[in-house]
Amino acid sequence: MKKTVLAFILICAPAFAYVDPDLNAQAQAIAHRLEAAQGHEILMGAYWQQGVPQFPSTLKQPLINTFYVTGGGWDGRYIDFWGSNKERDKVISKWKNGATIIFIRPGFPNVSSAATGKDFDGTYYGLWNVTGDPVTRVLPGGADRERWLSVLDGYVVVLKDLQSRGIPVVFIPFFEGDCGWFWYGTANATQEQYRALFRDLVEYFKAKGVHNALYLYEPVLNSTATAGCEVGEADAGRYPGNDHVDILGLSLYDKTAVFDDYALRYAKLAGAAARTGKIWGQAEGGHDQEKAPMNNFWSWYFTHVLADPNARNAAFISFDDPPYYPLAGSPSYDDLRKAQDDPAFDRFTWLPKK
């Protein structure tokens, strides 16, 4: 019978070399747990954000908890962003003494002093602000290098705080960088610059004593060149290289219930993983239940995943917050509740209800 509570025991070393040669034992245990799942079970995950309705306690719970941690420090607004709010306590509570896996997805600001305009939410210097040639200006030798390093130092505080508590993380920098909507994506960064940006962060964190992080590279792998997205393979183009990536993760959203595109992108990710020897899964995504309500989405999706020769072998699948996972009363809530208890979907691993 499949276990629903994790026991992180280092039985043997994973087949791949870690990005960080000094990776601590807790993070190595996370890598081993994910590798053990690959091809055998799918660890289920969900996102957590402040001010957003949380995953219903009436359902079995996510085993992977992804936190969208924003901030930095360069302009004074985020100096104490970790210690002064509830995000830290939420991460610690979700760790549950090793029963879950923590993913951190940083919302890095555009720190370019030449940036103009506002982000979509009305704030300056946001993730979606693509003005000001930000990538060139934050790489070594760039005009805003010191600003950028102060942002990274804010995340060093986060990661080392968790490290001191024995909490390992999977860190997802510069997600969806093969498309053009974020400041570090195709609108501003050449493939070479993106690779340099990713590698620079990893090396900076290691030099600062962060040794509790596995690094996940998350492309979109669009099948068409729309929205500035590149069409390519997960281990080519912007791929930072085997020595700077521990895990491959896919960003996979849709507004229509068509599995064909899912299958194409899963095939690309699985192929890249086979060539690189990396752990892989779906790092974020889901079906927009507000724009295209679908009462049977979860049973539909799980059935297709199990039938697909690549998707069924994912080590993890994580969903974004509402409307991508259901709240009580939403169209697909009852379907997910039933699917969680259906023996046909036993390959999908959740934690028990609260």
Side-chain angles (χ1 to χ4, degrees):
M1 181 179 294
K2 183 179 63 180
K3 295 180 180 179
T4 56
V5 178
L6 298 184
F8 292 133
I9 302 173
L10 281 175
I11 299 172
C12 60
F16 61 90
Y18 303 120
V19 165
D20 183 358
D22 297 316
L23 192 70
N24 68 21
Q26 292 91 345
Q28 289 185 42
I30 292 290
H32 182 73
R33 178 66 178 97
L34 290 168
E35 188 184 43
Q38 195 90 65
H40 301 286
E41 61 176 320
I42 300 173
L43 310 184
M44 298 302 295
Y47 273 49
W48 301 88
Q49 290 192 57
Q50 289 192 51
V52 175
Q54 304 298 286
F55 198 88
S57 61
T58 47
L59 296 174
K60 292 181 180 179
Q61 294 298 292
L63 190 148
I64 292 173
N65 293 279
T66 301
F67 289 85
Y68 183 70
V69 178
T70 60
W74 68 272
D75 67 351
R77 291 180 299 165
Y78 303 114
I79 292 295
D80 198 26
F81 79 103
W82 180 247
S84 64
N85 65 29
K86 298 179 180 179
E87 196 148 17
R88 176 184 60 188
D89 295 336
K90 178 67 74 172
V91 172
I92 294 168
S93 70
K94 287 297 176 185
W95 170 242
K96 295 180 179 177
N97 297 316
T100 64
I101 298 173
I102 302 297
F103 283 21
I104 288 184
R105 186 173 181 259
F108 290 132
N110 174 351
V111 302
S112 170
S113 57
T116 59
K118 295 183 179 181
D119 204 339
F120 77 99
D121 63 356
T123 60
Y124 287 96
Y125 305 111
L127 180 66
W128 299 75
N129 187 333
V130 299
T131 66
D133 192 23
V135 176
T136 300
R137 298 176 74 94
V138 301
L139 286 170
D144 292 311
R145 177 67 174 175
E146 292 306 311
R147 280 187 172 194
W148 176 239
L149 293 184
S150 69
V151 168
L152 294 188
D153 285 339
Y155 286 91
V156 168
V157 170
V158 171
L159 294 173
K160 293 189 77 172
D161 182 23
L162 295 176
Q163 183 171 280
S164 70
R165 301 170 188 271
I167 301 176
V169 304
V170 174
F171 197 75
I172 314 175
F174 313 118
F175 45 87
E176 301 177 350
D178 60 336
C179 290
W181 43 74
F182 296 141
W183 64 263
Y184 49 75
T186 60
N188 286 305
T190 65
Q191 292 181 350
E192 181 179 4
Q193 285 179 314
Y194 179 88
R195 294 193 299 266
L197 189 66
F198 195 109
R199 293 168 179 167
D200 179 62
L201 175 144
V202 172
E203 294 302 322
Y204 189 79
F205 281 5
K206 289 193 295 183
K208 287 288 187 174
V210 173
H211 300 301
N212 62 328
L214 296 160
Y215 296 94
L216 187 151
Y217 170 61
E218 183 200 310
V220 175
L221 298 181
N222 242 24
S223 54
T224 58
T226 57
C229 296
E230 297 173 343
V231 178
E233 301 298 327
D235 57 337
R238 294 176 183 265
Y239 181 59
N242 288 346
D243 54 349
H244 287 87
V245 173
D246 291 301
I247 302 169
L248 294 173
L250 184 63
S251 174
L252 190 60
Y253 291 87
D254 81 1
K255 295 181 179 66
T256 58
V258 179
F259 199 82
D260 289 353
D261 186 56
Y262 280 46
L264 289 171
R265 291 155 72 186
Y266 268 122
K268 281 190 174 185
L269 195 68
R275 292 187 291 271
T276 60
K278 302 297 182 183
I279 298 166
W280 65 276
Q282 178 184 308
E284 63 169 300
H287 178 75
D288 192 326
Q289 298 288 332
E290 290 181 351
K291 295 182 178 178
M294 186 176 173
N295 291 344
N296 69 330
F297 170 74
W298 298 94
S299 55
W300 173 88
Y301 182 67
F302 291 166
T303 298
H304 279 78
V305 166
L306 292 178
D308 185 87
N310 296 300
R312 67 177 284 108
N313 290 315
F316 56 90
I317 292 179
S318 188
F319 286 89
D320 206 339
D321 51 34
Y324 298 103
Y325 62 67
L327 301 176
S330 64
S332 66
Y333 172 87
D334 285 338
D335 185 52
L336 178 55
R337 180 178 55 79
K338 293 175 183 177
Q340 286 184 330
D341 293 327
D342 189 336
F345 302 133
D346 189 53
R347 193 178 185 92
F348 301 90
T349 302
W350 305 83
L351 290 178
K353 297 175 186 177
K354 292 181 179 178

